[in-house]
Amino acid sequence: MAGASGLVSVLEHGYIPPPLDHSDTEKLLHLTFFDMFWLNWPPLSRVYFYDLPCSKAEFTQTIVPQLKKSLAMTLKHYYYFSGNLIVPTSLSSHIAPAIRYLKGDSVYVVIAEFKGDASKGFKHVCGNHVRLIYDLLRLVPELPPGYTHGIENDRYVASPVLSVQVTLFPGQGFSVGFRNSHVIADGKSMSDFIRTWACINAKQLRGEDDYDKINTLPFYDRSVIKDPKGIASIFLRESLPVANSHVSSPRAHHCRDLVQATLLINRVQIQGLKHLVTDQYPQVSSFVVTCAYVWTCMAKTRMALQQFTYDKEEVKEHFVFMMDTRERLDPPVPSNYFGNAVVNCRCSLNTSLLVVEHEGFRNAVKEIRRVLDEKLNNEEGVVKGFEKVFDVIKASIMQHKFGVSGSPKFDYYSTDFGWGKPIKYEAVSEKFGLVGSRDSDGGLEIGVCFPKPEMEVFTAIFTQGLIS
C-alpha cells in the first residue's frame, strides 16, 4: 500500500477534495520557465513529527477527521494541489504544460499506524541519530500513478502533484508526511501551503473562521513572470523526454544502503566559522559559512574514502544552492506568489582547494560569495544566464556535485496545527538539507543522507572540524 510497508499499517486511504465550487469546472495554471526547470526532477518528500500522545481511538475519531476537514478547507485556496500536472507527450503537441484543476479533483491521503516495537517508533525515527532511510520513507506516501490522455497531437500525461500521509505512533505522537512534484511548488510555496493548513486547523479548533486573514494564502497571477528570452521553450525542449519517462521518487528498495542523520551547529559554532573569514568578509551570513563548511567536509570525506586520488588527480567539485527571486525580479513579485521562483547558483572549485586545512573553508566561502555577488549585482538581474543552465549541467555530468535543500527562512518549526509545534522536521532523502534549529536560537539543523560508511566518515570530519 502506498507510503506504508513493514512496521507501518494502513488504516484507510482515500481522496480529499476542496469544497465544491459550482462556478468552476476547470482551472489552468500555465507553467513558467521557473516551473519547467523541474520537469525532470523526482518528487520531494518531507515529514513533520508531533509529540502528542494519544490512543488509536482518539486519533481516528478526533484528530484524523479534524485534519481532513481543515485540509479540505485549505484546498479551497490551494486547489491546484488537488489537480494534475499536464505535460504534452511531444513538442508537436497542441497542449501547453500546465497544472490543471478539474471539478472533482482531490488529494490522495493515507492514514496509517506504526505497529512495531516502541524502541523503533516515534523517538527513534524523529531523533537526530543515524537511521535507515527506510524508517522515514515509510512515513511518506507515493504519488498516485499518472495517465496518458488525448489523441494524435493532443496527447498528454496527467500526473498528481501531492499526496499526504498521517501516521499514528500509539501513545507517542503522529507524523504528517508529504510527497509533491517540484513542478508545482518551490520550497517557499510548499511551506506556505503546509503552514496555511496548520493555521486553518488551529483556527477551526478555536472556533474561528477568518481564513482570509491568513498571510500565506497564494497569489496565482502568472503574468508577473516575464520571459523575453523564451526560456520556457528552451526548458521544455530539454526536459520533455525525461518528463515523459515518469521519473519516480526513491523508495525503500532503492535505498537499502542509505542512512539519514541530523547534525546540529549552534550559534557559537557558527560565529566561530564567521570569525575565520572576518578579515576578508566582515559581514557574512550563517547560510554561507555553514554551506561552505559542509562543502569542505564533503570533499574531505570523498578524499578519506579514496573516491579520488588527491595528489594525482585534479577533480572539480560543484555545490548548488537555490536563490528565491520573488523580491529580486524587476519588478518584484508578491512574496506569496505560488509556484517556483528560484534560480540555481552553482559554485565550482578544484578539490585540492577545498581539502587544504583552514584555507579550504576560506576558499569555499569566497566561491559562494562570488556566485552570490554575481547573481545580485549585475545589470541583467538574477535570471541572467538561466537559459543556459542545462548546458552547464550537461558539461559537469561526470563531475561530483551536490546541493542544499530547505532554508532557515521557511521556519518549519512554526507549523502548529493547534496541538503544539513539531518536535522534528525532516527533508527525506536529501543529501544536504538545512533548517533553523528548533531548540537553539541562531543555530541550524543539518540533515544529511549517505551510504552508512560515508556517513560515519562525514560525521567524524564534521564534528572534529568544529572542535578544532
Side-chain angles (χ1 to χ4, degrees):
M1 186 62 64
S5 56
L7 299 177
V8 172
S9 175
V10 171
L11 300 176
E12 62 172 288
H13 62 101
Y15 291 85
I16 303 293
L20 188 61
D21 185 344
H22 294 284
S23 65
D24 291 312
T25 57
E26 180 182 60
K27 292 178 181 288
L28 281 177
L29 192 66
H30 290 288
L31 303 189
T32 72
F33 62 87
F34 286 124
D35 306 312
M36 290 188 191
F37 175 78
W38 301 103
L39 279 172
N40 59 3
W41 207 260
L44 304 178
S45 303
R46 70 199 76 211
V47 187
Y48 293 75
F49 293 92
Y50 292 88
D51 185 7
L52 184 70
C54 62
S55 65
K56 182 175 179 178
E58 182 182 0
F59 177 73
T60 58
Q61 297 172 21
T62 303
I63 294 175
V64 168
Q66 175 57 50
L67 287 172
K68 289 180 178 179
K69 176 185 175 183
S70 58
L71 176 58
M73 182 55 65
T74 305
L75 294 173
K76 178 181 179 181
H77 302 279
Y78 281 91
Y79 42 84
Y80 284 113
F81 274 121
S82 307
N84 287 273
L85 169 63
I86 304 299
V87 179
T89 57
S90 71
L91 290 171
S92 61
S93 173
H94 299 139
I95 303 296
I99 305 296
R100 184 187 67 188
Y101 168 73
L102 297 176
K103 185 181 294 186
D105 282 349
S106 52
V107 171
Y108 181 61
V109 176
V110 176
I111 308 301
E113 178 185 11
F114 177 78
K115 289 283 194 177
D117 186 271
S119 64
K120 293 294 184 180
F122 188 76
K123 291 185 179 180
H124 169 72
V125 292
C126 70
N128 293 332
H129 59 280
V130 175
R131 292 142 293 152
L132 295 173
I133 196 68
Y134 170 84
D135 292 339
L136 292 166
L137 281 175
R138 64 191 179 192
L139 304 177
V140 181
E142 290 278 19
L143 286 172
Y147 61 91
T148 302
H149 191 74
I151 57 174
E152 297 181 353
N153 288 337
D154 289 328
R155 290 181 66 81
Y156 62 88
V157 176
S159 305
V161 293
L162 175 68
S163 56
V164 179
Q165 179 173 319
V166 184
T167 305
L168 169 68
F169 294 80
Q172 300 176 69
F174 66 91
S175 63
V176 185
F178 299 85
R179 176 153 293 153
N180 70 281
S181 166
H182 207 319
V183 179
I184 191 173
D186 58 16
K188 172 69 166 60
S189 287
M190 191 65 193
S191 176
D192 282 353
F193 162 70
I194 297 171
R195 289 172 62 193
T196 299
W197 181 17
C199 184
I200 287 176
N201 195 81
K203 283 180 174 293
Q204 288 180 345
L205 290 175
R206 296 193 299 265
E208 302 172 0
D209 60 3
D210 54 340
Y211 309 135
D212 292 337
K213 296 181 179 179
I214 297 173
N215 61 9
T216 50
L217 297 179
F219 176 85
Y220 286 125
D221 185 359
R222 289 296 168 93
S223 68
V224 299
I225 303 297
K226 311 301 180 184
D227 186 14
K229 294 183 178 180
I231 302 176
S233 297
I234 296 172
F235 284 7
L236 184 61
R237 288 196 301 271
E238 292 287 348
S239 302
L240 196 57
V242 181
N244 283 324
S245 65
H246 302 289
V247 175
S248 61
S249 54
R251 295 307 297 163
H253 58 279
H254 294 138
C255 305
R256 293 188 186 278
D257 297 329
L258 292 180
V259 293
Q260 185 154 330
T262 303
L263 304 174
L264 305 179
I265 183 168
N266 61 39
R267 182 178 56 82
V268 174
Q269 291 168 324
I270 292 172
Q271 287 301 122
L273 292 175
K274 291 181 179 181
H275 181 71
L276 295 175
V277 293
T278 49
D279 59 327
Q280 196 171 7
Y281 301 105
Q283 299 293 326
V284 62
S285 70
S286 298
F287 175 85
V288 168
V289 296
T290 302
C291 288
Y293 182 65
V294 171
W295 191 11
T296 60
C297 290
M298 291 277 193
K300 291 175 182 177
T301 298
R302 295 203 322 114
M303 183 175 70
L305 293 172
Q306 298 183 328
Q307 294 178 355
F308 65 91
T309 307
Y310 171 51
D311 57 347
K312 295 182 180 179
E313 182 182 357
E314 191 58 87
V315 181
K316 205 78 168 178
E317 303 265 352
H318 304 279
F319 167 66
V320 181
F321 63 93
M322 308 309 295
M323 176 185 289
D324 189 345
T325 67
R326 287 171 174 82
E327 297 178 356
R328 300 179 173 101
L329 292 175
D330 184 18
V333 303
S335 63
N336 59 336
Y337 170 83
F338 179 82
N340 289 277
V342 294
V343 292
N344 75 337
C345 303
R346 176 173 291 244
C347 310
S348 303
L349 284 175
N350 288 335
T351 306
S352 60
L353 295 176
L354 287 166
V355 298
V356 61
E357 202 63 38
H358 300 306
E359 285 304 312
F361 170 71
R362 292 169 63 90
N363 291 335
V365 170
K366 182 179 180 180
E367 173 64 4
I368 295 173
R369 281 292 300 261
R370 181 193 69 78
V371 172
L372 269 173
D373 291 343
E374 189 177 273
K375 281 287 183 187
L376 295 173
N377 302 314
N378 72 81
E379 294 181 356
E380 296 181 43
V382 291
V383 185
K384 178 186 177 182
F386 197 39
E387 70 275 10
K388 301 175 182 177
V389 66
F390 281 100
D391 294 331
V392 175
I393 292 172
K394 291 174 186 177
S396 62
I397 196 166
M398 299 303 293
Q399 298 171 346
H400 184 262
K401 64 189 78 67
F402 77 101
V404 57
S405 68
S407 169
K409 294 181 179 179
F410 296 156
D411 195 14
Y412 301 100
Y413 286 108
S414 69
T415 310
D416 184 352
F417 284 87
W419 299 299
K421 295 181 180 181
I423 193 172
K424 186 69 181 296
Y425 167 83
E426 292 274 9
V428 185
S429 299
E430 298 289 349
K431 190 165 188 176
F432 171 29
L434 193 62
V435 305
S437 174
R438 181 185 189 275
D439 301 317
S440 173
D441 182 26
L444 296 171
E445 294 181 7
I446 299 168
V448 286
C449 181
F450 297 112
K452 190 172 182 180
E454 194 171 344
M455 178 69 79
E456 293 172 351
V457 175
F458 177 85
T459 52
I461 291 172
F462 180 92
T463 304
Q464 183 59 40
L466 291 178
I467 295 174
S468 58

Short mmCIF file of all heavy atoms in Angstrom, two decimals, residues 181-224:
data_model
loop_
_atom_site.label_atom_id
_atom_site.label_comp_id
_atom_site.label_asym_id
_atom_site.label_seq_id
_atom_site.Cartn_x
_atom_site.Cartn_y
_atom_site.Cartn_z
N SER A 181 5.31 17.02 -6.32
CA SER A 181 6.09 17.36 -7.50
C SER A 181 6.72 18.73 -7.30
O SER A 181 6.05 19.67 -6.84
CB SER A 181 5.18 17.39 -8.73
OG SER A 181 5.83 18.02 -9.81
N HIS A 182 8.00 18.85 -7.66
CA HIS A 182 8.65 20.15 -7.55
C HIS A 182 8.11 21.13 -8.59
O HIS A 182 8.22 22.35 -8.44
CB HIS A 182 10.17 20.01 -7.73
CG HIS A 182 10.98 21.06 -7.06
ND1 HIS A 182 10.62 22.40 -7.06
CD2 HIS A 182 12.13 20.99 -6.35
CE1 HIS A 182 11.52 23.09 -6.39
NE2 HIS A 182 12.44 22.27 -5.95
N VAL A 183 7.48 20.61 -9.65
CA VAL A 183 6.99 21.47 -10.72
C VAL A 183 5.90 22.42 -10.21
O VAL A 183 5.79 23.56 -10.65
CB VAL A 183 6.45 20.64 -11.90
CG1 VAL A 183 5.93 21.54 -13.01
CG2 VAL A 183 7.54 19.72 -12.44
N ILE A 184 5.10 21.97 -9.25
CA ILE A 184 4.00 22.80 -8.77
C ILE A 184 4.44 23.84 -7.75
O ILE A 184 3.83 24.91 -7.65
CB ILE A 184 2.85 21.95 -8.18
CG1 ILE A 184 1.61 22.83 -7.93
CG2 ILE A 184 3.28 21.20 -6.93
CD1 ILE A 184 0.39 22.06 -7.52
N ALA A 185 5.49 23.58 -7.01
CA ALA A 185 5.82 24.50 -5.92
C ALA A 185 7.28 24.38 -5.52
O ALA A 185 7.82 23.27 -5.42
CB ALA A 185 4.94 24.21 -4.70
N ASP A 186 7.91 25.52 -5.30
CA ASP A 186 9.24 25.52 -4.69
C ASP A 186 9.11 25.44 -3.18
O ASP A 186 7.99 25.31 -2.64
CB ASP A 186 10.06 26.74 -5.14
CG ASP A 186 9.40 28.08 -4.79
OD1 ASP A 186 8.48 28.11 -3.95
OD2 ASP A 186 9.82 29.11 -5.37
N GLY A 187 10.22 25.51 -2.48
CA GLY A 187 10.19 25.37 -1.03
C GLY A 187 9.33 26.41 -0.34
O GLY A 187 8.63 26.11 0.63
N LYS A 188 9.37 27.63 -0.84
CA LYS A 188 8.58 28.71 -0.25
C LYS A 188 7.09 28.43 -0.40
O LYS A 188 6.32 28.54 0.59
CB LYS A 188 8.93 30.03 -0.93
CG LYS A 188 8.06 31.23 -0.55
CD LYS A 188 8.29 31.67 0.88
CE LYS A 188 7.71 33.05 1.17
NZ LYS A 188 6.25 33.16 0.97
N SER A 189 6.63 28.08 -1.60
CA SER A 189 5.20 27.84 -1.81
C SER A 189 4.73 26.60 -1.06
O SER A 189 3.62 26.57 -0.52
CB SER A 189 4.91 27.68 -3.30
OG SER A 189 4.98 28.93 -3.96
N MET A 190 5.57 25.56 -1.02
CA MET A 190 5.17 24.35 -0.30
C MET A 190 5.07 24.63 1.19
O MET A 190 4.13 24.18 1.87
CB MET A 190 6.19 23.23 -0.56
CG MET A 190 5.74 21.87 -0.08
SD MET A 190 4.30 21.28 -0.99
CE MET A 190 3.78 19.91 0.03
N SER A 191 6.02 25.38 1.72
CA SER A 191 5.98 25.75 3.14
C SER A 191 4.75 26.59 3.45
O SER A 191 4.09 26.40 4.47
CB SER A 191 7.26 26.50 3.51
OG SER A 191 7.23 26.95 4.85
N ASP A 192 4.41 27.52 2.56
CA ASP A 192 3.22 28.35 2.75
C ASP A 192 1.95 27.50 2.79
O ASP A 192 1.05 27.75 3.60
CB ASP A 192 3.11 29.40 1.65
CG ASP A 192 4.05 30.58 1.85
OD1 ASP A 192 4.69 30.66 2.91
OD2 ASP A 192 4.14 31.42 0.93
N PHE A 193 1.87 26.51 1.88
CA PHE A 193 0.71 25.63 1.86
C PHE A 193 0.56 24.87 3.17
O PHE A 193 -0.53 24.82 3.77
CB PHE A 193 0.81 24.65 0.69
CG PHE A 193 -0.09 23.45 0.83
CD1 PHE A 193 -1.47 23.58 0.70
CD2 PHE A 193 0.44 22.19 1.11
CE1 PHE A 193 -2.30 22.47 0.84
CE2 PHE A 193 -0.38 21.09 1.25
CZ PHE A 193 -1.76 21.22 1.12
N ILE A 194 1.65 24.28 3.65
CA ILE A 194 1.58 23.46 4.87
C ILE A 194 1.27 24.34 6.08
O ILE A 194 0.47 23.97 6.95
CB ILE A 194 2.90 22.69 5.07
CG1 ILE A 194 3.10 21.70 3.90
CG2 ILE A 194 2.89 21.93 6.39
CD1 ILE A 194 4.47 21.03 3.88
N ARG A 195 1.87 25.52 6.12
CA ARG A 195 1.59 26.43 7.24
C ARG A 195 0.14 26.93 7.19
O ARG A 195 -0.49 27.14 8.23
CB ARG A 195 2.58 27.59 7.21
CG ARG A 195 4.00 27.19 7.60
CD ARG A 195 5.00 28.31 7.38
NE ARG A 195 4.70 29.47 8.20
CZ ARG A 195 5.26 30.66 8.03
NH1 ARG A 195 6.12 30.85 7.04
NH2 ARG A 195 4.96 31.67 8.82
N THR A 196 -0.39 27.12 5.98
CA THR A 196 -1.80 27.52 5.85
C THR A 196 -2.71 26.42 6.38
O THR A 196 -3.68 26.70 7.11
CB THR A 196 -2.14 27.83 4.38
OG1 THR A 196 -1.32 28.91 3.92
CG2 THR A 196 -3.61 28.21 4.24
N TRP A 197 -2.43 25.18 6.01
CA TRP A 197 -3.21 24.05 6.52
C TRP A 197 -3.16 24.03 8.05
O TRP A 197 -4.19 23.90 8.73
CB TRP A 197 -2.68 22.74 5.93
CG TRP A 197 -3.43 21.51 6.39
CD1 TRP A 197 -4.67 21.45 6.98
CD2 TRP A 197 -2.99 20.15 6.28
NE1 TRP A 197 -5.02 20.14 7.26
CE2 TRP A 197 -4.00 19.33 6.84
CE3 TRP A 197 -1.83 19.56 5.78
CZ2 TRP A 197 -3.87 17.94 6.91
CZ3 TRP A 197 -1.70 18.18 5.83
CH2 TRP A 197 -2.72 17.37 6.39
N ALA A 198 -1.97 24.16 8.60
CA ALA A 198 -1.82 24.14 10.06
C ALA A 198 -2.60 25.29 10.70
O ALA A 198 -3.27 25.12 11.73
CB ALA A 198 -0.33 24.22 10.43
N CYS A 199 -2.52 26.47 10.09
CA CYS A 199 -3.21 27.64 10.65
C CYS A 199 -4.72 27.46 10.61
O CYS A 199 -5.42 27.76 11.59
CB CYS A 199 -2.79 28.89 9.86
SG CYS A 199 -3.48 30.42 10.51
N ILE A 200 -5.25 26.95 9.49
CA ILE A 200 -6.70 26.72 9.38
C ILE A 200 -7.14 25.67 10.38
O ILE A 200 -8.20 25.81 11.03
CB ILE A 200 -7.06 26.31 7.94
CG1 ILE A 200 -6.95 27.53 7.02
CG2 ILE A 200 -8.47 25.71 7.88
CD1 ILE A 200 -7.21 27.23 5.55
N ASN A 201 -6.35 24.61 10.54
CA ASN A 201 -6.70 23.58 11.52
C ASN A 201 -6.76 24.16 12.93
O ASN A 201 -7.70 23.90 13.69
CB ASN A 201 -5.69 22.44 11.46
CG ASN A 201 -6.17 21.19 12.16
OD1 ASN A 201 -6.94 20.41 11.62
ND2 ASN A 201 -5.73 20.99 13.41
N ALA A 202 -5.76 24.97 13.27
CA ALA A 202 -5.73 25.59 14.60
C ALA A 202 -6.91 26.54 14.79
O ALA A 202 -7.52 26.58 15.87
CB ALA A 202 -4.41 26.33 14.80
N LYS A 203 -7.25 27.30 13.76
CA LYS A 203 -8.40 28.21 13.84
C LYS A 203 -9.69 27.42 14.04
O LYS A 203 -10.56 27.82 14.84
CB LYS A 203 -8.49 29.08 12.58
CG LYS A 203 -7.49 30.22 12.53
CD LYS A 203 -7.65 31.03 11.26
CE LYS A 203 -6.76 32.26 11.26
NZ LYS A 203 -7.16 33.28 12.27
N GLN A 204 -9.85 26.32 13.33
CA GLN A 204 -11.06 25.51 13.49
C GLN A 204 -11.15 24.93 14.90
O GLN A 204 -12.26 24.87 15.46
CB GLN A 204 -11.07 24.39 12.44
CG GLN A 204 -11.33 24.89 11.03
CD GLN A 204 -11.34 23.78 10.00
OE1 GLN A 204 -10.91 22.66 10.26
NE2 GLN A 204 -11.83 24.08 8.81
N LEU A 205 -10.03 24.55 15.47
CA LEU A 205 -10.04 24.05 16.85
C LEU A 205 -10.50 25.13 17.83
O LEU A 205 -11.13 24.83 18.85
CB LEU A 205 -8.66 23.53 17.24
CG LEU A 205 -8.18 22.23 16.57
CD1 LEU A 205 -6.74 21.93 16.97
CD2 LEU A 205 -9.08 21.06 16.96
N ARG A 206 -10.19 26.39 17.50
CA ARG A 206 -10.57 27.52 18.36
C ARG A 206 -11.95 28.07 18.01
O ARG A 206 -12.41 29.03 18.63
CB ARG A 206 -9.53 28.64 18.25
CG ARG A 206 -8.14 28.27 18.75
CD ARG A 206 -7.26 29.51 18.89
NE ARG A 206 -7.08 30.20 17.61
CZ ARG A 206 -6.03 30.00 16.80
NH1 ARG A 206 -5.10 29.10 17.12
NH2 ARG A 206 -5.93 30.66 15.66
N GLY A 207 -12.58 27.52 16.99
CA GLY A 207 -13.90 28.01 16.56
C GLY A 207 -13.83 29.27 15.74
O GLY A 207 -14.83 30.00 15.63
N GLU A 208 -12.70 29.56 15.10
CA GLU A 208 -12.55 30.75 14.27
C GLU A 208 -12.70 30.38 12.80
O GLU A 208 -12.41 29.25 12.40
CB GLU A 208 -11.17 31.39 14.51
CG GLU A 208 -10.93 31.79 15.97
CD GLU A 208 -9.49 32.23 16.21
OE1 GLU A 208 -8.70 32.22 15.24
OE2 GLU A 208 -9.15 32.55 17.36
N ASP A 209 -13.12 31.34 11.97
CA ASP A 209 -13.27 31.06 10.54
C ASP A 209 -12.78 32.21 9.67
O ASP A 209 -13.17 32.32 8.49
CB ASP A 209 -14.72 30.73 10.20
CG ASP A 209 -15.67 31.87 10.53
OD1 ASP A 209 -15.21 32.93 10.98
OD2 ASP A 209 -16.91 31.68 10.34
N ASP A 210 -11.92 33.07 10.21
CA ASP A 210 -11.41 34.22 9.45
C ASP A 210 -10.20 33.80 8.62
O ASP A 210 -9.10 34.35 8.75
CB ASP A 210 -11.07 35.38 10.38
CG ASP A 210 -10.12 34.99 11.49
OD1 ASP A 210 -10.01 33.78 11.80
OD2 ASP A 210 -9.47 35.88 12.07
N TYR A 211 -10.40 32.85 7.72
CA TYR A 211 -9.29 32.30 6.95
C TYR A 211 -8.68 33.30 5.98
O TYR A 211 -7.50 33.20 5.63
CB TYR A 211 -9.76 31.06 6.18
CG TYR A 211 -10.48 30.03 7.01
CD1 TYR A 211 -11.66 29.45 6.56
CD2 TYR A 211 -9.99 29.65 8.27
CE1 TYR A 211 -12.34 28.50 7.31
CE2 TYR A 211 -10.67 28.72 9.04
CZ TYR A 211 -11.83 28.15 8.56
OH TYR A 211 -12.51 27.22 9.32
N ASP A 212 -9.47 34.25 5.52
CA ASP A 212 -8.96 35.21 4.54
C ASP A 212 -7.87 36.12 5.11
O ASP A 212 -7.18 36.81 4.35
CB ASP A 212 -10.11 36.07 4.01
CG ASP A 212 -11.08 35.27 3.16
OD1 ASP A 212 -10.66 34.21 2.64
OD2 ASP A 212 -12.25 35.68 3.02
N LYS A 213 -7.72 36.12 6.42
CA LYS A 213 -6.69 36.97 7.05
C LYS A 213 -5.34 36.27 7.13
O LYS A 213 -4.35 36.88 7.54
CB LYS A 213 -7.15 37.38 8.45
CG LYS A 213 -8.39 38.26 8.46
CD LYS A 213 -8.77 38.66 9.88
CE LYS A 213 -10.01 39.55 9.89
NZ LYS A 213 -10.39 39.93 11.29
N ILE A 214 -5.29 35.01 6.74
CA ILE A 214 -4.03 34.26 6.81
C ILE A 214 -3.06 34.83 5.78
O ILE A 214 -3.41 35.01 4.60
CB ILE A 214 -4.29 32.76 6.55
CG1 ILE A 214 -5.20 32.19 7.64
CG2 ILE A 214 -2.99 31.98 6.50
CD1 ILE A 214 -5.65 30.77 7.38
N ASN A 215 -1.83 35.11 6.18
CA ASN A 215 -0.88 35.80 5.29
C ASN A 215 -0.11 34.87 4.37
O ASN A 215 0.80 35.32 3.65
CB ASN A 215 0.10 36.65 6.11
CG ASN A 215 0.95 35.82 7.06
OD1 ASN A 215 0.94 34.60 7.01
ND2 ASN A 215 1.68 36.49 7.94
N THR A 216 -0.43 33.57 4.37
CA THR A 216 0.26 32.64 3.48
C THR A 216 -0.65 32.13 2.36
O THR A 216 -0.32 31.15 1.70
CB THR A 216 0.81 31.44 4.28
OG1 THR A 216 -0.24 30.89 5.11
CG2 THR A 216 1.98 31.85 5.16
N LEU A 217 -1.78 32.79 2.13
CA LEU A 217 -2.65 32.40 1.02
C LEU A 217 -1.97 32.72 -0.31
O LEU A 217 -1.21 33.68 -0.42
CB LEU A 217 -3.99 33.12 1.11
CG LEU A 217 -4.83 32.80 2.37
CD1 LEU A 217 -6.13 33.58 2.35
CD2 LEU A 217 -5.10 31.30 2.47
N PRO A 218 -2.22 31.92 -1.35
CA PRO A 218 -1.43 32.02 -2.58
C PRO A 218 -1.86 33.14 -3.53
O PRO A 218 -3.02 33.54 -3.59
CB PRO A 218 -1.66 30.66 -3.24
CG PRO A 218 -3.04 30.26 -2.78
CD PRO A 218 -3.16 30.77 -1.38
N PHE A 219 -0.87 33.62 -4.30
CA PHE A 219 -1.07 34.59 -5.38
C PHE A 219 -0.78 33.84 -6.68
O PHE A 219 0.32 33.34 -6.89
CB PHE A 219 -0.11 35.77 -5.21
CG PHE A 219 -0.15 36.78 -6.32
CD1 PHE A 219 -1.08 37.80 -6.32
CD2 PHE A 219 0.76 36.70 -7.38
CE1 PHE A 219 -1.11 38.74 -7.34
CE2 PHE A 219 0.74 37.64 -8.39
CZ PHE A 219 -0.20 38.66 -8.38
N TYR A 220 -1.77 33.75 -7.59
CA TYR A 220 -1.67 32.87 -8.75
C TYR A 220 -1.35 33.55 -10.08
O TYR A 220 -1.11 32.86 -11.07
CB TYR A 220 -2.99 32.10 -8.93
CG TYR A 220 -3.22 31.00 -7.92
CD1 TYR A 220 -4.38 30.98 -7.15
CD2 TYR A 220 -2.30 29.99 -7.73
CE1 TYR A 220 -4.62 29.97 -6.23
CE2 TYR A 220 -2.51 28.97 -6.81
CZ TYR A 220 -3.68 28.97 -6.07
OH TYR A 220 -3.90 27.97 -5.16
N ASP A 221 -1.34 34.84 -10.16
CA ASP A 221 -1.21 35.53 -11.44
C ASP A 221 0.17 35.29 -12.07
O ASP A 221 1.18 35.80 -11.59
CB ASP A 221 -1.44 37.03 -11.24
CG ASP A 221 -1.43 37.80 -12.54
OD1 ASP A 221 -1.23 37.19 -13.61
OD2 ASP A 221 -1.63 39.04 -12.50
N ARG A 222 0.18 34.51 -13.16
CA ARG A 222 1.46 34.17 -13.81
C ARG A 222 1.98 35.28 -14.73
O ARG A 222 3.11 35.19 -15.22
CB ARG A 222 1.30 32.86 -14.61
CG ARG A 222 1.16 31.62 -13.71
CD ARG A 222 2.43 31.43 -12.90
NE ARG A 222 2.33 30.48 -11.84
CZ ARG A 222 2.65 29.19 -11.94
NH1 ARG A 222 3.01 28.69 -13.08
NH2 ARG A 222 2.58 28.41 -10.89
N SER A 223 1.17 36.29 -14.98
CA SER A 223 1.61 37.37 -15.87
C SER A 223 2.75 38.18 -15.25
O SER A 223 3.43 38.93 -15.97
CB SER A 223 0.44 38.29 -16.20
OG SER A 223 0.02 39.02 -15.06
N VAL A 224 2.99 38.04 -13.96
CA VAL A 224 4.05 38.81 -13.31
C VAL A 224 5.44 38.24 -13.64
O VAL A 224 6.45 38.89 -13.40
CB VAL A 224 3.86 38.86 -11.78
CG1 VAL A 224 2.54 39.53 -11.43
CG2 VAL A 224 3.94 37.47 -11.16
#
